[in-house]
Amino acid sequence: MSAAYDSHAVIQLAASSTTEHRPLIITLFAVFVAATLAITVWAGRQTKSASDFYAGGRQFTAFQNGLAVSGDYMSAASFLGIAGAIALFGYDGFLYSIGFLVAWLVALLLVAEPLRNSGRYTMGDVLAYRMRQRPVRTAAGTSTIVVSIFYLLAQMAGAGVLVSLLLGITSDAGKVLIVALVGVLMILYVTIGGMKGTTWVQMVKAVLLIAGALLMTFLVLWKFDFNVSDLLGTAAEKSGHGAAFLEPGLKYGSTDVSKLDFISLGLALVLGTAGLPHILIRFYTVPTAKAARKSVNWAIGIIGSFYLMTIALGFGAAALIGPDEIKAKNPAGNAAAPQLAEYLGGVGTTWGAILLAVISAVAFATILAVVAGLTLASSSSFAHDIYANVIRKGTATEKEEMRAAKWATVAIGIVSIALGALARDLNVAGLVALAFAVAASANLPTILYSLFWKRFTTQGALWSIYGGLASSVLLVLFSPVVSGKVTSMFPDADFAWFPLENPGLISIPLGFLLGWVGSVLSKEEPDKGKYAELEVKSLTGTCAH
């Protein structure tokens, strides 16, 4: 998904055309950061127990949680990347939007309610209910942290590039400092506010993102007298591809490898979403299973509305700016939305700079909200699964567990700052693709088997998690995302023997297969009584925490 996730060229346009408007941009950023920190401090004063820190006290309504889920899910890649993909590849670019939205049906139908009923704070709670606690929690914690750190790395690198370009910072030391500042903000959000603070930040960010997209959609349609057919026709004409721009096959379908790559990417997106740890923990923040289900319904509506607006953003960029000018700023098209914002406001004018600054602030807000959610998911998993239940064997107090979570947040923040600084000049596509692939390959099979297969055993869970984790990491490392292409992370090297850019086509079935084989070959007798209890809990909510 390199076109959608190369945050590296977020706003190259801004570096030259907004020099005289930098005070405005800095003011917007400062206002947002101050406002979100104020929200975090306010929420932190109400965070007194482990339930408050991990699950926001389970006090959020279905609508509030749906809004927060939307904020957690709609990353900068959704806003910037999909608009660019549509602007360059037309119909095939819009398939990203469809994939992201369809993924929520899987989360709604298979995961949301049973997970809320069965667990307490983390994915490990569900897996360990009927398995041997220590090995399964260790595996679940490891998988959660790996997925979160790779996703974090992508967001951190994107944030560093975004801010440094907008503020005109060109030195390596300055870029490293920006990444470090984003990391410090991330640590503050989680350690001070916990899930309550993070949720409120995500809700604010979702409103900002929807408002920004809605404003741009209105302005694009206004340019074409609200005639969608005229918009699509102009985009097709200016694309240089004619009618083919509005038909499948421009990006995927020219070769057998590209067709397989699309299937692989689609599998990772659709199935990986239901296994993303920062999305899974959101289901624990509502008081009932019914609220969890309703919150996903709200999220589908909000996210669906946003992805519909990407039609106007992407095709609007193609029609008003043109693919050649978009690719001149960035070959992957990630500057399309900011370019469109400046065009709609007036290139070189104050209004153009203002709209560009607002959209940039929204993109930065998006990154911060996603980063906070990811950090909370990984630190919670370490504290609750690994520290409290593996290292302390269930003897840790709530205070000790929360203290471990906060120290884990600091440690994960430091690791993310270090890796984000190293990756500031790299294509981050492989990192996010890896996050989705690992979630779909390791997390989802074990969750589904645990909830719905009575013969699933501890060995099956370990084989599934570690096998899915290892296979997805290995295949991405030796794919064109990492080496062998101009847009690779290491363009000057070529050790790519795996032809697909996303490993999902191989690693996802392998994760399910290993879970089945490991269980069938296991000498452990499944605890049918525990499975029956879990089944009742997952379906009815009886005795749910």
Side-chain angles (χ1 to χ4, degrees), residues 8-22 25 160-171 175 329 335 338-339 342 352-353 356-357 360:
H8 205 83
V10 172
I11 307 181
Q12 292 187 2
L13 183 66
S16 58
S17 62
T18 61
T19 303
E20 69 273 26
H21 300 290
R22 286 229 168 84
I25 295 171
V161 172
L162 169 64
V163 179
S164 61
L165 285 171
L166 285 172
L167 302 186
I169 296 171
T170 56
S171 68
K175 291 178 181 178
K329 298 297 178 185
Q339 282 177 277
E342 189 179 43
L356 177 59
S360 303

Side-chain angles (χ1 to χ4, degrees), residues 125-143:
D125 288 334
V126 179
L127 305 185
Y129 189 82
R130 47 184 287 237
M131 312 290 176
R132 295 201 308 276
Q133 290 250 345
R134 297 183 73 188
V136 169
R137 284 191 183 275
T138 302
T142 301
S143 176

Side-chain angles (χ1 to χ4, degrees), residues 286-304:
V286 289
T288 64
K290 185 178 180 181
R293 192 166 60 249
K294 280 187 174 180
S295 67
V296 179
N297 288 334
W298 275 112
I300 289 174
I302 295 167
I303 294 167

